[in-house]
Amino acid sequence: MKSFLALIAILLMQTGFADEPRATFNVRDFGAVGDGTNKDTVGFQKALDTCAVGGGGEVIVPAGNYLIGSVQLGYGTILRLETNSVIIGSGDANDYPTMDIRWEGRWQPGRRALIYAANVDHTGIIGPGRIEGNRAMAAPQNPRGAVVLEPISCNDVRWEGFTITQGGNWATHPTYCTDVVIKNVNIIGDRDGIDVDSCKNVRIENCDINTGDDCISLKSGRGLDGARIGKPTEDVLISNCTLHGRRFAGVGIGSETSGGIRNVTIEHCKMACRTFGIYVKTRIGRAGVIENISGDDLDILSGGFLKINLVSAGNLNTSDDPVEGDAGIPLGRNYSFSNIRVTNCTRLVDARDISPQKPLTGFSLVNVTGTCTNGIALANITGAKLENIHVTGYQGSLLMQTNVQGSGLDSIK
């Protein structure tokens, strides 16, 4: 934990963007017109390329409606969206080149994102403008549809102070990236808001996310392929966010977890979700270790609080490439949650779907208040700790347990 806090301190001091004056390049000077009708893809790409080739700087997008296809950010390039600037994704499939992308834990052909970057350092998008992904181009298909933002294998990625709208696919998908800061970003969409895929040192702060699936999802590959590559998602801080999952969870950990998920802190957040605020989900055959997951100072305003399913959750598409035998059973370690406030919570904790062959080791739930319909259900856990659980409105017993060892179990009635 100390090493994780040290990494976060470094992220707080390092944004990767120097204070000295930076070169600026206005997209209108490169032919963009911003009338919402004529395509501005060429003007945008010329401005972005000129910026990168010149050593980096800011590409300015003034007020206007800019219709573009997929564009690519280069080294040291910040895309600055000024007030009343709107980037609108084209509805022409030819504007989104097909390439290898990561989709649900596998590398496979897909359409390039509306704004894409690969193998470059120090890129960013700064608001207060808006980016609107095209619903038809986003819809999952063969090949996969285009997400809005997708940096791949990039270092020092910063998104701050703008709005994204998307329908039919994930809105944003940082993949194989390090040192990612997402701050004060609003996301509205029909599927996942932010999918963090095999990334390290990620800070998501003061974001407002309203989606039809997981608001934030942490992933690391699927089945034998993901386990073989072995790239975890690790050292993630989610802080001061408002998460509304209209169909699924606030923070979904999984379901592609074969490379491992570790060192995740969720704090000072408000969640109103159809299923659970936090949902740890994977299945047998995926392998991987999901460890050091903590939550503190959380308000659960609807739905359940916590679901842990390490044996049968998420999509079924590992069946063609499983990690066989005991190695394929996912392992959970060190989950701790404290200072949780629930309002009309449908289920406080459901942690019954854990293999007895690999029990969850270390589970702490401390200082919980509010109202819930159903209480706590635990199975196959060692090192459990329950303390100061004060909720009302539940039906039946507050605690149901099977094969659970730890402290405070007898005090929960």
Side-chain angles (χ1 to χ4, degrees):
M1 180 56 70
K2 288 183 178 179
S3 62
F4 176 48
L5 292 175
L7 287 168
I8 293 301
I10 291 171
L11 278 174
L12 289 169
M13 294 184 291
Q14 172 195 322
T15 64
F17 302 97
D19 292 331
E20 65 267 14
R22 299 171 56 83
T24 60
F25 307 85
N26 192 311
V27 294
R28 288 183 178 264
D29 294 335
F30 292 84
V33 295
D35 63 2
T37 301
N38 292 288
K39 288 183 184 177
D40 290 324
T41 313
V42 172
F44 265 66
Q45 194 61 66
K46 284 183 178 179
L48 293 168
D49 289 345
T50 301
C51 179
V53 171
E58 294 190 358
V59 172
I60 307 299
V61 184
N65 297 321
Y66 299 87
L67 180 66
I68 67 170
S70 176
V71 295
Q72 183 170 359
L73 299 183
Y75 170 83
T77 299
I78 303 171
L79 188 64
R80 184 171 291 276
L81 310 177
E82 294 190 337
T83 301
N84 296 323
S85 65
V86 183
I87 292 176
I88 303 168
S90 161
D92 185 347
N94 294 322
D95 290 336
Y96 301 86
T98 299
M99 56 176 289
D100 276 346
I101 49 82
R102 178 106 143 183
W103 174 238
E104 294 187 335
R106 300 268 178 86
W107 288 97
Q108 62 188 61
R111 299 200 183 279
R112 202 171 76 175
L114 180 62
I115 300 177
Y116 165 77
N119 302 298
V120 294
D121 297 341
H122 315 311
T123 66
I125 303 173
I126 309 296
R130 187 167 78 249
I131 306 173
E132 298 180 353
N134 186 282
R135 177 182 293 271
M137 294 300 100
Q141 52 194 297
N142 188 13
R144 184 210 72 176
V147 304
V148 181
L149 308 181
E150 192 166 38
I152 298 175
S153 298
C154 293
N155 176 60
D156 188 14
V157 177
R158 177 187 174 193
W159 300 335
E160 184 171 350
F162 59 94
T163 296
I164 299 172
T165 64
Q166 171 69 302
N169 207 332
W170 300 346
T172 71
H173 185 206
T175 304
Y176 285 15
C177 293
T178 59
D179 297 340
V180 178
V181 176
I182 305 173
K183 184 176 181 181
N184 296 320
V185 173
N186 298 326
I187 299 176
I188 303 167
D190 291 339
R191 296 196 68 193
D192 294 356
I194 302 172
D195 284 82
V196 179
D197 199 341
S198 293
C199 295
K200 182 175 183 178
N201 298 346
V202 178
R203 177 158 56 101
I204 302 171
E205 184 178 69
N206 292 317
C207 292
D208 191 319
I209 305 175
N210 184 326
T211 66
D213 208 329
D214 292 338
C215 296
I216 300 170
S217 188
L218 309 180
K219 301 176 179 293
S220 64
R222 167 161 56 97
L224 185 58
D225 179 69
R228 183 190 298 116
I229 294 171
K231 282 185 177 291
T233 281
E234 57 186 333
D235 303 331
V236 177
L237 174 64
I238 301 169
S239 181
N240 291 293
C241 292
T242 299
L243 307 177
H244 181 194
R246 302 189 307 274
R247 181 172 173 267
F248 217 78
V251 178
I253 300 177
S255 61
E256 298 87 55
T257 60
S258 300
I261 310 285
R262 58 178 176 245
N263 305 337
V264 177
T265 298
I266 306 162
E267 63 180 19
H268 318 311
C269 291
K270 299 180 186 300
M271 304 182 187
C273 303
R274 183 175 178 182
T275 58
F276 290 85
I278 301 173
Y279 198 148
V280 183
K281 49 182 176 176
T282 186
R283 60 177 47 248
I284 292 173
R286 295 239 161 116
V289 179
I290 305 171
E291 61 183 342
N292 303 332
I293 311 297
S294 67
D296 181 66
D297 187 25
L298 304 177
D299 286 288
I300 307 302
L301 305 176
S302 66
F305 163 52
L306 175 66
K307 170 77 171 178
I308 301 171
N309 185 336
L310 304 182
V311 297
S312 60
N315 55 46
L316 301 174
N317 52 15
T318 309
S319 58
D320 61 336
D321 185 28
V323 178
E324 297 181 349
D326 187 69
I329 302 173
L331 175 63
R333 287 196 292 243
N334 302 327
Y335 296 178
S336 62
F337 304 94
S338 57
N339 302 312
I340 311 301
R341 295 168 295 277
V342 297
T343 303
N344 298 323
C345 179
T346 55
R347 165 70 75 179
L348 191 55
V349 176
D350 185 349
R352 294 171 290 183
D353 298 305
I354 300 168
S355 172
Q357 295 172 254
K358 290 187 178 181
L360 172 63
T361 58
F363 174 80
S364 174
L365 184 65
V366 176
N367 297 337
V368 180
T369 59
T371 58
C372 65
T373 304
N374 295 283
I376 303 167
L378 308 177
N380 303 319
I381 297 175
T382 64
K385 176 185 177 182
L386 301 182
E387 183 178 301
N388 293 334
I389 313 297
H390 301 292
V391 293
T392 60
Y394 55 89
Q395 303 170 357
S397 300
L398 178 56
L399 174 64
M400 297 182 292
Q401 56 175 311
T402 303
N403 191 28
V404 179
Q405 301 174 10
S407 63
L409 304 174
D410 294 337
S411 64
I412 305 296
K413 304 298 183 182

